[in-house]
Amino acid sequence: MNVMTTEPAREKNKISAKPGPYTIETVLSVKHYTDRLFHFRITRPAAFRFRSGEFIMIGLPKEDGKPLLRAYSVASPFWDEALDFYSIKVPDGPLTSRLQHIQEGDEILLGKKPVGTLVLDALKPGKRLYMVSTGTGIAPFASLIRDPETYEKFDEVILTHTCRELAELKYGEELVAATKEDELIGEMAREKLVHFTSVTRDDGPVKGRVTDMINSGELFDHLGVPAFDPAVDRVMICGSEGLLKDTRQICLDRGFVEGSNAAPADFVVEKAFVATD
Ligand code: A2P
């Protein structure tokens, strides 16, 4: 059935091409999850390569024509034909206050050089991989849980996602459900991927900060696994400043060594950048 719309079609925002460290891409779709969160998908240049977990600069031109760019984790797998991003809307944020209004057909700036430490290359081999996230910090894991290498390297992959409210968990729930049904990755994900969620300001099945649940042991009881052990566990952390600081300390206190691209080790940390836009 055709639905009549009373909204006049607005003209698509086009960007006049200027040479720079970015390409001009087209928005393919936008989905708003809450009044604070949205997801968008853009075209991917044929030459654009990245490692799962990396971030890239995304932006729009300012009124003076100069680009305004922020770091965003790529939320789609490396084998996908387009690029996905998951963003917060900061009411006064210079970029996200405008970016939240993008629509299909609009143009957007995409950086050329993906980088980041939240990559499998920065971790030593292990048995169990924890991906600890809050809010939009789940974005890089949306890429990593769809990378076959994640499942080749680990026997068990545990994605934890903590948000303020239940509605903010929806993106992750849809993502994990779709991953488990995916033609390429579904079988591995069904066997190895565990999704653990909690909320801190709503009444949900599990309530509390993941850090408190690690310290109390509640997380491991829920999962039915032994507590953090640097001999077998590896940890990737992405979310708010507070989460990074506290989870990093938890890892250090338990004898985990922080890894990097140059020196792979037991855990890695990355900020969910645009939360501060
Ligand atoms: P809380 O509601 O107790 O602050 P935000 O939307 O502000 O980015 O937060 C996302 C989630 O991260 C919230 O559930 C929030 O819990 C949680 N959080 C904030 N700081 C920390 C921290 N230091 N350790 C663990 N979780 C945190």
Side-chain angles (χ1 to χ4, degrees):
M1 189 179 79
N2 282 331
V3 179
M4 290 284 286
T5 167
T6 50
E7 290 265 319
R10 86 159 159 78
E11 224 164 88
K12 302 301 173 198
N13 288 323
K14 301 288 175 194
I15 299 172
S16 52
K18 287 205 187 85
Y22 46 77
T23 57
I24 298 170
E25 302 305 321
T26 304
V27 176
L28 299 171
S29 64
V30 183
K31 181 170 177 178
H32 293 267
Y33 280 87
T34 69
D35 54 6
R36 292 207 312 142
L37 296 166
F38 72 112
H39 174 273
F40 56 97
R41 188 166 171 82
I42 66 170
T43 50
R44 174 178 178 174
F48 188 89
R49 296 275 177 275
F50 67 100
R51 290 181 298 170
S52 311
E54 285 187 319
F55 65 85
I56 185 73
M57 303 307 284
I58 285 273
L60 293 169
K62 291 186 285 190
E63 281 184 359
D64 62 7
K66 288 193 185 139
L68 174 63
L69 300 154
R70 290 280 182 273
Y72 273 85
S73 295
V74 180
S76 44
F78 71 87
W79 43 262
D80 203 348
E81 62 192 11
L83 295 171
D84 289 346
F85 300 95
Y86 185 49
S87 178
I88 196 151
K89 307 172 194 176
V90 182
D92 303 322
L95 180 63
T96 63
S97 62
R98 292 171 54 213
L99 198 61
Q100 63 178 288
H101 300 297
I102 53 166
Q103 292 180 11
E104 186 189 332
D106 286 347
E107 288 182 336
I108 193 168
L109 300 168
L110 172 74
K112 289 183 180 168
K113 258 198 163 190
V115 284
T117 55
L118 219 62
V119 291
L120 294 169
D121 292 342
L123 291 176
K124 283 184 177 167
K127 279 191 177 168
R128 196 177 289 120
L129 175 61
Y130 285 89
M131 301 172 170
V132 179
S133 69
T134 58
T136 55
I138 193 173
F141 303 134
S143 184
L144 279 156
I145 63 166
R146 288 181 282 177
D147 188 335
E149 196 185 333
T150 303
Y151 302 101
E152 282 154 19
K153 287 194 163 166
F154 294 93
D155 298 339
E156 213 175 332
V157 177
I158 298 167
L159 169 65
T160 85
H161 192 207
T162 303
C163 294
R164 297 180 188 187
E165 297 165 12
L166 281 169
E168 296 174 332
L169 295 175
K170 185 149 186 253
Y171 166 73
E173 286 163 355
E174 287 181 1
L175 166 77
V176 170
T179 300
K180 291 191 174 184
E181 291 305 314
D182 186 85
E183 221 173 281
L184 177 74
I185 208 79
E187 199 178 328
M188 286 184 260
R190 283 194 297 277
E191 190 194 332
K192 297 188 172 180
L193 178 62
V194 176
H195 185 208
F196 173 87
T197 58
S198 71
V199 283
T200 49
R201 303 191 195 183
D202 240 352
D203 284 326
V206 184
K207 192 165 180 177
R209 287 185 172 190
V210 69
T211 42
D212 293 337
M213 287 189 269
I214 294 170
N215 283 328
S216 68
E218 197 185 331
L219 176 72
F220 309 106
D221 292 345
H222 268 291
L223 297 169
V225 298
F228 270 177
D229 176 359
V232 288
D233 293 329
R234 299 291 170 260
V235 188
M236 295 176 135
I237 311 161
C238 187
S240 64
E241 291 278 4
L243 174 90
L244 305 193
K245 184 172 155 284
D246 294 353
T247 316
R248 184 171 181 275
Q249 195 57 50
I250 287 173
C251 288
L252 292 173
D253 291 346
R254 283 162 177 72
F256 286 76
V257 174
E258 187 163 357
S260 67
N261 279 289
D266 309 324
F267 79 99
V268 283
V269 177
E270 197 104 270
K271 193 172 158 195
F273 305 92
V274 356
T276 52
D277 179 79

